[in-house]
């Protein structure tokens, strides 16, 4: 997920060269046989607990904590508790890098877990891959983490490309032809745009009317005016954070009756609340099940763990995603054996083949593909709740 940031990415070729070099290097002082010591298995997380996306990072963190608490209460994994240490980076690249440096310098830290944000992950990825420390479930749908041969990086959530394709397929299925698209003028937005455009081409849909919005949302009103003036049936939104709010509010003020389709990064409780009545009727792709869908065993288990943890917030997609990531981590740790090395743990992640976690399937294949392809569409009701 990418929103406004102080981080200026390196040129694409330089980034690829750095990452390729890192993958080729030996595992340095960590060693491929580094073993979790007796006692709790310690893992580290850098995420946004404060700042512009603090609500998002906090929800995922609370979901993971609920899962680990439930696992530890039952004796842990092979009798050992999982201890999650989380440092707040406020969705700022320098803070995220400092946090990760602390974790990498600690020989007792077994893995990095569910670190958040495309700009932060892009910056930390080369040094993490170089270290050989497992980089488990980074929170981004960007392709940059889905890198061939980087076996220490294990992606779970469906990619932004998977979500964009699902949205376009739905529009094609219901016969929508006149489609608009607004996307953020950064790596995240361009990735969503490219995936949607390719999907539209495969489905032989007419080319979309497209506009971009800058990270600071300064041109959101102009983008909304252009699309409102076009004869459109639906709009695909490849925005996150402030640009989403500004564009949707501006567009709704100009025109009603056009269905807006957005990706999971838009569907945070804080964003929905900020949009108020303007959010009603929006369709959002989600990469985990509806957290109120108790027909699914894993959702029932999540709700029980959430309640047992004493969490007071409403269960959300983000909290469920953190919970699922923690459950998958624990399963891989179980399969890695009583005294797991990092190598054994990494091998165990790639042996998670068609593992059904009560309605949510994890199917590891290769490092350039995420282990979950789960994407479903939800609708925001008049009360701000998500409906299937």
């Amino acid at each position: 997920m990418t929103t406004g940031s102080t981080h200026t990415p390196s040129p694409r070729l330089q980034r690829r060269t750095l990452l390729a070099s890192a993958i080729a290097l030996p595992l340095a002082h960590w060693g491929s046989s580094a073993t979790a010591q007796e006692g709790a298995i310690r893992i580290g997380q850098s995420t946004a607990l404060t700042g512009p996306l603090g609500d998002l990072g906090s929800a995922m963190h609370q979901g993971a904590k609920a899962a680990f608490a439930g696992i530890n209460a039952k004796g842990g994994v092979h009798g050992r508790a999982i201890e999650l240490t989380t440092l707040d980076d406020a969705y700022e690249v320098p803070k995220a890098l400092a946090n990760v440096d602390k974790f990498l310098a600690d020989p007792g830290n077994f893995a990095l877990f569910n670190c958040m944000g495309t700009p932060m992950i892009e910056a930390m990825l080369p040094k993490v891959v170089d270290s050989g420390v497992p980089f488990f479930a980074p929170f981004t749908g960007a392709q940059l983490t889905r890198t061939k041969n980087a076996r220490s990086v294990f992606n779970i959530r469906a990619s932004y490309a998977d979500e964009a394709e699902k949205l376009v397929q739905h529009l094609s299925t219901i016969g929508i032809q006149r489609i608009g698209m607004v996307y953020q003028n950064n790596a995240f937005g361009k990735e969503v745009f490219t995936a949607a455009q390719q999907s539209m081409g495969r489905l032989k849909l007419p080319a979309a009317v497209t506009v971009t919005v800058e990270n600071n949302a300064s041109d959101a009103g102009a983008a909304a005016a252009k699309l409102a003036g076009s004869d459109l049936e639906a709009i695909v939104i490849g925005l996150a954070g402030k640009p989403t709010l500004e564009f949707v509010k501006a567009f709704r003020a100009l025109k009603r009756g056009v269905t807006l389709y957005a990706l999971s990064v838009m569907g945070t409780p804080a964003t929905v609340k900020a949009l108020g009545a303007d959010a009603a009727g929006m369709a959002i792709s989600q990469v985990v099940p509806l957290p109120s869908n108790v027909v699914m065993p894993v959702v029932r288990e999540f709700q029980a763990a959430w309640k047992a943890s004493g969490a007071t917030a409403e269960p959300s997609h983000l909290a469920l995603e953190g919970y699922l990531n923690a459950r998958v981590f624990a399963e891989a740790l179980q399969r890695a054996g009583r005294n797991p090395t990092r190598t054994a743990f990494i091998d165990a992640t790639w042996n998670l083949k068609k593992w059904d976690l009560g309605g949510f399937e994890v199917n590891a294949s290769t490092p350039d593909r995420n282990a979950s392809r789960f994407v479903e569409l939800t609708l925001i009701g008049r009360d701000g709740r998500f409906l299937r």
Side-chain angles (χ1 to χ4, degrees):
M1 171 179 43
T2 304
T3 60
S5 171
T6 58
H7 172 56
T8 303
S10 304
R12 188 172 298 274
L13 182 60
Q14 183 180 353
R15 186 178 71 230
R16 288 178 178 172
T17 302
L18 283 170
L19 187 53
S21 299
I23 293 169
L25 287 171
L27 298 183
H29 65 283
W30 292 96
S32 62
S33 61
T35 306
Q37 299 300 308
E38 288 299 329
I41 293 175
R42 293 167 45 208
I43 59 177
Q45 177 186 36
S46 178
T47 193
L49 300 178
T50 60
L53 296 178
D55 64 308
L56 190 156
S58 295
M60 283 196 303
H61 173 60
Q62 290 297 322
K65 277 182 63 178
F68 288 138
I71 291 164
N72 291 341
K74 295 178 180 178
V77 178
H78 292 300
R80 300 169 67 182
I82 300 172
E83 183 180 301
L84 174 63
T85 299
T86 299
L87 298 178
D88 180 21
D89 59 36
Y91 204 72
E92 295 177 13
V93 169
K95 290 182 179 179
L97 287 176
N99 290 344
V100 167
D101 283 342
K102 289 179 184 177
F103 288 131
L104 295 183
D106 178 3
N109 186 69
F110 184 72
L112 290 171
F113 172 82
N114 206 194
C115 296
M116 172 186 152
T118 302
M120 282 58 68
I121 290 167
E122 179 180 41
M124 65 177 71
L125 195 59
K127 66 170 64 183
V128 174
V129 171
D130 181 19
S131 75
V133 173
F135 199 38
F136 191 88
F139 182 81
T140 176
Q143 194 59 39
L144 65 91
T145 62
R146 293 151 173 81
T147 306
K148 190 174 183 180
N149 299 325
R151 294 184 78 250
S152 63
V153 183
F154 188 75
N155 293 280
I156 297 177
R157 72 171 358 241
S159 68
Y160 295 140
D162 292 331
E163 292 190 67
E165 184 173 3
K166 180 76 171 184
L167 294 175
V168 172
Q169 285 177 342
H170 173 74
L171 292 174
S172 175
T173 299
I174 64 176
I176 297 294
Q177 294 283 311
R178 301 189 306 278
I179 302 170
M181 181 159 191
V182 55
Y183 62 97
Q184 214 147 319
N185 189 23
N186 60 14
F188 156 69
K190 290 173 183 176
E191 196 164 306
V192 175
F193 167 70
T194 299
Q197 188 180 47
Q198 290 174 347
S199 185
M200 291 177 73
R202 286 194 298 271
L203 295 167
K204 296 182 170 52
L205 291 170
V209 178
T210 61
V211 291
T212 61
V213 173
E214 295 301 319
N215 288 338
N216 62 9
S218 59
D219 53 353
K226 178 178 178 180
L227 293 184
S230 304
D231 184 23
L232 301 175
E233 298 171 281
I235 295 174
V236 175
I237 300 175
L239 305 172
K242 184 180 179 182
T244 308
L245 295 172
E246 298 299 322
F247 172 81
V248 172
K249 284 184 174 293
F251 185 84
R252 292 293 205 203
L254 293 169
K255 194 165 188 176
R256 298 272 172 176
V258 177
T259 304
L260 305 180
Y261 292 80
L263 277 68
S264 59
V265 291
M266 175 266 154
T268 67
T271 301
V272 174
K273 183 178 180 180
L275 284 173
D278 288 331
M282 289 187 68
I284 312 293
S285 58
Q286 304 287 0
V287 298
V288 298
L290 197 68
S292 59
N293 183 15
V294 293
V295 172
M296 280 192 174
V298 73
V299 172
R300 293 198 299 272
E301 293 164 4
F302 160 68
Q303 288 192 353
W306 187 251
K307 183 177 180 180
S309 73
T312 56
E314 189 78 14
S316 65
H317 283 93
L318 292 163
L320 176 55
E321 183 168 356
Y323 173 86
L324 290 168
N325 290 338
R327 288 284 305 276
V328 178
F329 181 91
E331 177 67 18
L333 199 60
Q334 176 75 29
R335 298 186 184 199
R338 186 167 297 277
N339 294 299
T341 63
R342 292 193 180 117
T343 298
F345 174 79
I346 290 168
D347 288 344
T349 64
W350 296 111
N351 283 322
L352 292 169
K353 306 291 187 184
K354 295 185 178 180
W355 180 56
D356 184 5
L357 183 56
F360 182 84
E361 185 177 275
V362 175
N363 186 28
S365 53
T366 56
D368 57 337
R369 294 180 66 82
N370 26 272
S372 170
R373 299 296 300 279
F374 182 97
V375 183
E376 71 175 11
L377 295 188
T378 58
L379 192 70
I380 302 176
R382 293 186 181 277
D383 61 355
R385 293 180 180 273
F386 288 98
L387 311 168
R388 287 183 67 208

